[in-house]
Each structure stands twice: as structure tokens, then as C-alpha cells.
Amino acid sequence: MHPQRQYWLPIFLAMLVSFFSFSFSSYQGDRFVTTRDQYQRFGSPIGVDSESETTLTRLYGRASAPASPTKFVNVDDFEAKADGTDDSKAFMEAWEEACSSENEAVLVVPNNKIYHLKPITFSGPCKSDLTMKIYGTIKASVRLSDYSRDPRHWLVFENVNNFRVEGGGTIDGNGKVWWRKSCKVNKSLPCNDAPTAVTFYGCKNVRVSSLRFRNSQKMHLTFQYCVNVRALNLLVIAPGNSPNTDGIHVTGTQNILIKNCVIRTGDDCISIVSGSKNVRATDIICGPGHGISIGSLGAGNSEAFVSNVLVNRARLSGTTNGVRIKTWQGGSGFAKDILFQNVEMRNVSNPIIIDQHYCDQEKPCQEQASAVQVSNVVYQNIKGTSASEVAIKLDCSNQFPCRGLVLQDVILRLEEEDDIAKASCSNVRLSPPGNFLPRCI
């Protein structure tokens, strides 16, 4: 065996083993499953192993008492009209009825109807487990005056635990009126906030599955300060030129699985920002959009912390970035223990990019020495074509160089076969040098 390969292969394998060890062991503190009933309904969740199942069986027994009858609450029974008028009052009353139920409850939004809602907050905690079945369409009000009290949110689920949202229906942010007023579309306009379509805030044990999100005012779906989340089988769609319409945004959230999602928007397909830990995104189709991003981090000289991130089996097509880490100068903290693997790129600009000089503003950013430390990042089995001449760009901080980066089985070629892709690497410590093309210059 080549002596250099003898050196890096054990290190590489050790990094992978270490990554998965801390990723999955970290779930032991906060189980996704808190009752045997939840285990039966959710299947085998994140971080629950055979030992945990045995513990659950011992705690709850195999022969449980007869279940209490499920309470079904239909928004139509509270005079939701679905006739183009505002149905917010009916939805709130139906929520309060379901949330206050002593037994497990199901809140139903019927099929083949379009319900219009103003900004609304569905608050918990609820007395029992709750499922919201969205079969029809929920559509946002387009009257800007309806958002005067809170211009940053449309639908908010706050402090709701053991909660499922599903049903195959659609949540439509009706975002065109907001896009037209964006300074990114019309630079003569002031830069004002727009609402995130759906926000889960301070929730625990949440499953969002089998839904369509479209045309959000700004971000489509945000998980903020949540613990134990599953986002499965989601279709998230907005025009490629719609501003700031991130697909799934993760902030301050721990233990989240994003799986089997198709995301085609005008901004990041998935964005992961400060306070997030134990994030898994698998089987993702992304594009158009800005790719899968960690960051931005460290804006306004702030501290930022992101760790234990896995992106596995993703297909990106026609995006402006591929897998990206972006940090502002002047920040502090870390982005570490990150694995991007089994990623297919097709005509992607900046397929692999670390940008520690990120500056999303009109005037140039001030040069600053401090930076978020980027370390222990693995790129494995990433292949495809680049729309930009530089396929690999690692632009790291001079004072805080990127440490422990591994590129293994990475092959990126230009979309135009006659040209040769390039790599640009500044202030990077690769360990080991790895097997990748193009090579750093």
C-alpha cells in the first residue's frame, strides 16, 4: 500500500466512526419517543435502539389498557366557510377545542376546499397528543395590513409537543405580493421583512409529513428552538426567482431528520444556522435554489454554533451553490463535525464552497480578524458537473484557517466538457490530502 494512503485512511475512517458515534449517542438525552403509544405510531425514531425498545416494553407492558377514544375536530364544524372570506376565527376555535381535549385529538382540514387565514398562532402545550390532518388547502391573506402586528410570521405552532401535521394537503403562502415589494427584486425599494409561512417554535416531538408547501412570502418552513423533529416526504415549491424563499430553515434546533423531500425554491433548499445540533438531511432533491447551506453564521460579530450535521444522498440540479458553509467576518464560535456524502451535482454553480468572507449587503464588509472556526468537515463521494469554472472553493479565514477538512472520492467536471474545472483553496488544512478533482491550486 502507498505510504501516504496508509497515513490518511485510518484518519478518515476514524473521523467517520467518531462522527456517527457522537451523532447518535447525543440523542440519548432527549428521546424522540416518550410513551409506548408514541413509539407505536411513529415507528423506530431517531436515536431509539433495541435497548430503548426493551426499556419501553418494560415500562409500558405489552398488554396496555384499552385506548381512550380519539376526538375528531373538524374546522367546518366551527363555521369555516372556505369561500374566500377569512376563516381564522374558525381555525382558532377548532384548535382550542382539539388542544384542550383530555384524549388524543385529530384536527381535520377537509379536502377539496381552500381556507384563507390571516396570521395566526396555534399555542400549546396541549393536554394530549394532537394530529392536524390537512387534506385541503390553507392559503395566506394577501392584505398587508393583516400582518401589521407581526410582519415576520403567518402560521406559528408554539410550544406544542407530541404533535403531527400531515394529510397530503397544501399550505400556500400566496407570496407574489411580497416578492414584488422585495428590495432584492426592485432595488429602489427599502428592504423590509416578509412573513415566514410556517414556524414551529419551542416544540418537542414533532412530525411534519406528506404535505405541499408553495409560494411562501419568505421562508416556507422553519423549526426554531425545537427538539426531536421529523420532516418527511415534503414538496416545497416556489419560482426560482422568488426572493428569500428558503425551503426548510433550521435554527436553534436539535435532533432533526429531514428526509425524502423535494425542494425547488428561490433560496436555500435547506439552511442550518446557529444553535442547531444533530441535523440529518437524507434523500433530498434540490433545485432550482441556492443549494444546501450551513449558515450564514456570525453576522454582526455574533457567536454561532453548529455541529453534528449529516447530508446524505442528495441530488442538486441547476442551483447557484451546492453544499455550502458561509460565515461573516467578525463572528465567533464554530461549525464542526459535518459530513456531506453521496451527493450528485448537475450543472451546479459552486458545487463545494466554504465562504468565510460572506457579505450579503450592498456596501463592502469591513475586514475583521475574528471568524467562526470551521473544522472536521468531510466531503465523500460527491460527483457531477459544475456550471462555474471554480468547482471547489475553500475560502477560509486567515486567522482561523479551516481545519480537518477531508475530500474523498470527489470528482467534479465542468458542464462544458471541453473546459477543465478548477479548485481554489485558501487557508485550508486538508487532512489527509485525499482523492479529489479538481485539485487545489
Side-chain angles (χ1 to χ4, degrees), residues 222-226 249-254 271-276:
T222 292
F223 297 98
Q224 186 172 5
Y225 305 123
C226 295
H249 183 67
V250 180
T251 175
T253 290
Q254 298 186 23
S271 52
I272 302 163
V273 299
S274 185
S276 298

Side-chain angles (χ1 to χ4, degrees), residues 88 91-96 99 107 117 120-124 132 138 154-160 163 203:
S88 302
F91 269 67
M92 180 54 72
E93 291 177 354
W95 173 267
E96 290 173 352
C99 189
L107 177 58
L117 298 185
I120 189 169
T121 296
F122 300 103
S123 295
M132 189 172 188
I138 299 174
W154 173 39
L155 303 180
V156 178
F157 297 94
E158 182 179 53
N159 298 325
V160 187
F163 181 40
C203 299

Side-chain angles (χ1 to χ4, degrees), residues 364-376:
C365 291
Q366 179 184 354
E367 291 287 334
Q368 299 185 65
S370 179
V372 175
Q373 177 70 69
V374 177
S375 63
N376 299 341

Side-chain angles (χ1 to χ4, degrees), residues 239-317:
N241 61 354
S242 56
N244 300 317
T245 52
D246 295 51
I248 300 175
H249 183 67
V250 180
T251 175
T253 290
Q254 298 186 23
N255 306 351
I256 176 170
L257 170 65
I258 304 168
K259 185 174 182 179
N260 291 334
C261 294
V262 176
I263 307 172
R264 310 184 191 279
T265 70
D267 210 300
D268 294 330
C269 292
I270 298 173
S271 52
I272 302 163
V273 299
S274 185
S276 298
K277 181 179 179 180
N278 300 339
V279 179
R280 289 195 292 164
T282 67
D283 302 303
I284 305 298
I285 295 176
C286 168
H290 294 183
I292 298 175
S293 294
I294 296 175
S296 64
L297 305 174
N301 298 336
S302 62
E303 285 188 317
F305 304 96
V306 173
S307 62
N308 303 0
V309 177
L310 168 66
V311 176
N312 185 29
R313 298 192 304 270
R315 286 191 295 154
L316 290 82
S317 177

Side-chain angles (χ1 to χ4, degrees), residues 20-29 278:
F20 285 108
S21 296
F22 66 64
S23 289
F24 292 106
S25 65
S26 59
Y27 286 102
Q28 303 306 312
N278 300 339

Side-chain angles (χ1 to χ4, degrees), residues 50-64:
S50 58
E51 180 182 351
S52 305
E53 183 178 2
T54 303
T55 302
L56 287 165
T57 301
R58 184 171 65 249
L59 288 173
Y60 296 100
R62 293 207 175 267
S64 57

